[in-house]
């Protein structure tokens, strides 16, 4: 079901997983197909969206304002326990985002002759993409839209191929202004370029299928994006004292996301690796997950490595979306981990807590992008804007500015700096009235 590897076989597996391959034929074909969709929407707007919906067997795009009766009544379609769970999750996500925002303080620095600073300004508009799929994903609506709301984004749109009551209710909890029923690369194109019916936005966030991700990649620069998210992945680091059944459940919890999801165990104990393999077979038989889980697990692995430092090094190589540390001293292991999207410390801290209700965002980097990027936070929606205020008639800035500008051959730069250095500091000095 799932490969068990040790020694050189484990090292070869890690080398294969961290090799940087050129795009394959499927990726190149997808790139061309998405480029055609983007061009069609850019050229023909709403008519193109209708044609594309018919072509792909989707319903025509539909907009619901935030105060639409269908939106206002969405919670009535949910059982009280689900509403309470969603409210609990929303409260924790909101409070965690507020805690992050407390770090976004303005900066002001005073130096001899001038002052400089930085402030944080939210984007004017954001769209949160919520995938369709087999089940509604209100958790993604909460994670993206609430984070935008806390960042101060005044205009939030929620976009999904399926506007289920749960997704609509999540949007209500997050102050979403409007909802669009549409999906795919064409939805991202409409949000980037705008159409007569659909207002262009400043940033699009949220996960999607490979075509949505490719559209975000091609449109980055026209709009802002959060990241290029791929299939889910988890690394569990477990020592001899871990609970094999808990480890197996955590691996299966990621494998059930998607056929391309990946789950890896890194252990320094061969007996633990064998025990997890046995437990995994048992929980798969008990829970009867979707058939595609077999494909996901077959591409995953249980790796036995020499010691915990080797497990840590392998995890840093993989730079996974989620890391679960189920060892005797998880804090000691965590101190050496450097590349991950989200970290779960201790046997009791299952990754699904982060997927739903604990507060930190579940929109996280995948495919080793945790080497250079992080998860969705309010900072995703904020722009750092610097400012300078110089005192007139002082030499601290004009002299070195003019010297460096002259060195680079920019005479107007140098002249503009020298013009500010006047003994009187008179604003009118050199004006046409002289």
């Amino acid at each position: 079901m799932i490969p068990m590897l040790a020694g050189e076989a484990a090292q070869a597996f890690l080398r294969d997983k961290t090799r940087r391959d050129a795009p394959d034929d499927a990726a190149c074909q997808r790139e061309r197909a998405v480029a055609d969709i983007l061009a069609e929407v850019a050229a023909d707007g709403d008519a193109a969206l209708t044609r594309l919906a018919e072509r792909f067997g989707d319903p025509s795009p539909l907009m619901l304002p935030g105060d639409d009766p269908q939106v206002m009544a969405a919670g009535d379609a949910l059982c009280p326990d689900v509403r309470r769970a969603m409210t609990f999750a929303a409260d924790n996500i909101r409070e965690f985002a507020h805690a992050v925002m407390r770090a976004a303080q303005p900066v002001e620095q005073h130096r001899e002759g001038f002052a400089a600073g930085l402030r944080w300004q939210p984007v004017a508009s954001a769209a949160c993409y919520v995938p369709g799929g087999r089940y509604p994903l209100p958790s993604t609506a909460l994670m993206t839209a609430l984070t935008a709301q806390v960042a101060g984004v005044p205009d939030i749109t929620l976009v999904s191929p399926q506007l289920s009551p749960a997704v609509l209710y999540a949007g209500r909890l997050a102050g979403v202004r409007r909802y669009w029923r549409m999906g795919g690369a064409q939805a991202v194109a409409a949000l980037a370029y705008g159409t007569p019916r659909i207002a262009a936005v400043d940033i699009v966030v949220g996960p999607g299928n490979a075509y949505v991700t490719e559209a975000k990649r091609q449109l980055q620069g026209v709009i802002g994006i959060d990241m290029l998210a791929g299939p889910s992945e988890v690394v569990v680091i477990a020592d001899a004292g871990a609970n094999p059944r808990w480890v197996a459940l955590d691996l299966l919890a990621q494998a059930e996301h998607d056929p391309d999801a990946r789950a890896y165990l890194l252990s320094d104990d061969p007996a633990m690796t064998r025990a997890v393999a046995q437990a995994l077979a048992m929980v798969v038989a008990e829970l009867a997950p979707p058939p595609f889980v077999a494909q996901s697990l077959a591409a995953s692995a249980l790796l036995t490595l020499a010691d915990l430092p080797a497990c840590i090094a392998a995890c840093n190589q993989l730079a996974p979306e989620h890391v679960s540390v189920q060892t005797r001293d998880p804090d000691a292991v965590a101190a050496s981990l450097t590349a991950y999207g989200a970290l779960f410390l201790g046997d009791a801290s299952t990754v699904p807590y982060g997927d739903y209700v604990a507060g930190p965002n579940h929109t996280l980097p995948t495919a080793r992008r945790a080497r250079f990027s992080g998860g969705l936070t309010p900072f995703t929606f904020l722009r750092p804007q610097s400012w300078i205020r110089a005192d007139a008639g002082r030499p601290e800035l004009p002299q070195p500015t003019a010297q460096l500008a002259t060195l680079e051959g920019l005479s107007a730069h140098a002249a503009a700096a020298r013009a500010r250095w006047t003994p009187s500091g008179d604003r009118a000095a050199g004006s046409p009235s002289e």
Side-chain angles (χ1 to χ4, degrees):
M1 180 192 298
I2 184 169
M4 293 175 56
L5 304 171
E8 179 52 38
Q11 295 301 323
F13 180 88
L14 290 168
R15 286 194 298 270
D16 180 66
K17 289 298 177 183
T18 55
R19 187 176 64 240
R20 301 181 189 180
D21 294 323
D24 58 17
D25 289 343
C28 292
Q29 291 174 7
R30 184 166 54 245
E31 180 179 351
R32 291 190 292 271
V34 169
D36 290 342
I37 291 171
L38 303 189
E40 188 171 350
V41 174
D44 214 7
D46 295 316
L49 293 176
T50 300
R51 283 197 306 271
L52 289 163
E54 292 175 355
R55 187 184 308 167
F56 299 132
D58 299 329
S60 296
L62 170 70
M63 194 276 283
L64 298 176
D67 59 357
D68 186 271
Q70 185 176 337
V71 176
M72 302 303 289
D76 298 338
L78 307 174
C79 73
D81 286 345
V82 169
R83 288 199 303 270
R84 280 191 290 270
M86 290 179 65
T87 301
F88 177 75
D91 290 344
N92 289 340
I93 295 164
R94 186 182 293 109
E95 287 306 310
F96 189 85
H98 277 299
V100 173
M101 279 293 289
R102 288 195 281 274
Q105 296 299 315
V107 173
E108 187 165 331
Q109 182 184 52
H110 291 269
R111 305 289 296 275
E112 192 71 28
F114 69 99
L118 180 143
R119 68 171 188 165
W120 298 92
Q121 183 85 344
V123 299
S125 58
C128 302
Y129 189 95
V130 179
R134 294 178 296 135
Y135 297 103
L137 295 175
S139 60
T140 296
L142 292 174
M143 291 283 181
T144 53
L146 277 169
T147 307
Q149 181 190 47
V150 171
V153 179
D155 188 348
I156 303 171
T157 299
L158 192 148
V159 181
S160 179
Q162 299 178 23
L163 293 178
S164 68
V167 169
L168 292 174
Y169 186 66
R172 279 195 63 195
L173 293 174
V176 168
R177 180 172 289 188
R178 71 187 63 80
Y179 302 79
W180 273 100
R181 185 190 65 190
M182 60 179 180
Q186 60 270 28
V188 183
L191 295 164
Y193 297 129
T195 75
R197 293 181 64 202
I198 300 170
V201 300
D202 296 321
I203 186 171
V204 174
V205 303
N209 64 21
Y211 288 85
V212 170
T213 300
E214 176 60 22
K216 289 169 69 176
R217 187 189 71 81
Q218 292 189 30
L219 289 167
Q220 185 174 14
V222 178
I223 50 169
I225 67 168
D226 49 350
M227 65 191 73
L228 301 175
S232 190
E233 49 196 35
V234 67
V235 165
V236 179
I237 300 176
D239 62 13
N243 183 319
R245 180 177 174 85
W246 289 7
V247 172
L249 286 168
D250 289 344
L251 296 172
L252 183 59
Q254 294 307 305
E256 72 175 349
H257 272 293
D258 185 90
D260 294 321
R262 298 293 179 261
Y264 307 113
L265 170 67
L266 306 177
S267 181
D268 61 343
D269 182 61
M272 174 55 59
T273 305
R274 291 192 295 271
V276 169
Q278 294 169 358
L280 190 55
M282 291 177 61
V283 297
V284 168
E286 291 171 15
L287 298 178
F292 68 72
V293 164
Q295 178 181 336
S296 173
L297 291 177
S300 302
L302 310 178
L303 305 180
T304 304
L305 302 177
D307 49 31
L308 278 181
C311 295
I312 293 167
C315 186
N316 288 336
Q317 270 185 282
L318 292 167
E321 179 185 19
H322 307 96
V323 179
S324 171
V325 182
Q326 301 187 33
T327 62
R328 181 180 59 82
D329 189 352
D331 290 330
V333 172
S336 298
L337 293 172
T338 59
Y340 53 84
L343 182 61
F344 298 81
L345 296 170
D347 305 83
S349 306
T350 184
V351 171
Y353 292 161
D355 287 340
Y356 292 108
V357 300
N361 213 282
H362 77 193
T363 308
L364 299 165
T366 61
R368 302 190 67 231
R369 297 187 182 99
R371 295 174 295 117
F372 53 79
S373 66
L376 187 78
T377 73
F379 287 100
T380 305
F381 303 95
L382 297 176
R383 296 160 292 154
Q385 299 173 327
S386 63
W387 57 265
I388 297 169
R389 182 182 293 112
D391 297 338
R394 297 191 57 104
E396 288 84 5
L397 292 181
Q399 284 184 316
T401 298
Q403 288 167 348
L404 291 173
T406 300
L407 176 66
E408 295 186 356
L410 300 174
S411 59
H413 281 65
R418 291 193 188 99
R420 267 61 177 187
W421 185 17
T422 60
S424 66
D426 184 359
R427 186 179 183 193
S431 70
S433 62
E434 289 184 337

